[in-house]
Amino acid sequence: MAYSCSDFADDVLNDLAAKGWLESALVAPDDPQAQADAVLTAIADANGTLQLAANAKQFHAELLDGVETLTGISEEHGAGALAHVVYLQMAILKGTSIELSSQEARSLAFIRRLPSGERWWKHVAEVE
């Protein structure tokens, strides 16, 4: 049996629904325009998520190039700095920020010396 365009559309919709990127119940099975719109919207949303993941991956790579080991962060800057690095990577992944006191920010200031340090530092909010 040949693989048809509708088989393809069904497979794409089912895969996006399985990933939780679209709610297939909202897309009528006999409305190709609505299916295409739903898929394109899901892809656009996924691209944003994929960009955040790429940013977090780049942060991690730059971090390891800059400090060589994660335990080295703890040894040189303290265990709190290592924990904040993990929180920072998650903030980058989510597109959010972490809040640090001035003292905590000073212990994490080495992040600013990374190649994209100022970009990563935008995910840090200093609070008192």
Side-chain angles (χ1 to χ4, degrees), residues 6 10 21 26-27 29 54 59 76 100 121:
S6 61
D10 289 343
W21 293 353
L26 299 178
V27 181
F59 168 74
E76 187 174 340
L100 300 177
W121 201 255

Side-chain angles (χ1 to χ4, degrees), residues 19 31 36 42 46-47 62 64-65 79 82 98 102 107 114 116-118:
K19 288 178 171 59
D31 188 349
N47 280 337
E62 288 183 15
L64 290 182
D65 285 346
L82 177 57
I98 60 172
S102 295
S107 74
L114 297 175
S116 304
E118 292 304 316

